[in-house]
Amino acid sequence: MPTPTESLIGAYRNCQERNCTKEQLESFLDRAKVQFAGNEGMQSMIAELQKQI
C-alpha cells in the first residue's frame, strides 16, 4: 500500500501525464492542502510540487 506521500506524488504525475492544465494542477494541490492541513511534511511536499507547475 503506498504512503500518503507516494499517493500524492503519483496522482500529481498522473495528472501531468494526462496533460492537465495549470489550473487543474493548482486545484488538485489546493484540495491536497486542505486534506493534509496540520501535516507539515505533506504541506512541504505540496509546496515542492507547486514549484513544478
Side-chain angles (χ1 to χ4, degrees):
M1 181 141 240
T3 67
T5 301
E6 292 169 336
S7 294
L8 177 70
I9 293 170
Y12 179 83
R13 290 197 175 128
N14 185 40
C15 194
Q16 283 182 315
E17 290 170 4
R18 291 190 341 254
N19 296 316
C20 289
T21 65
K22 178 180 178 183
E23 291 78 17
Q24 289 171 311
L25 289 168
E26 289 171 343
S27 177
F28 169 75
L29 292 177
D30 286 344
R31 289 189 309 274
K33 282 183 195 176
V34 172
Q35 180 180 354
F36 294 105
N39 183 329
E40 288 304 315
M42 290 300 286
Q43 294 296 324
S44 175
M45 179 56 60
I46 293 166
E48 287 301 314
L49 292 173
Q50 283 184 307
K51 292 177 185 177
Q52 298 178 26
I53 297 178

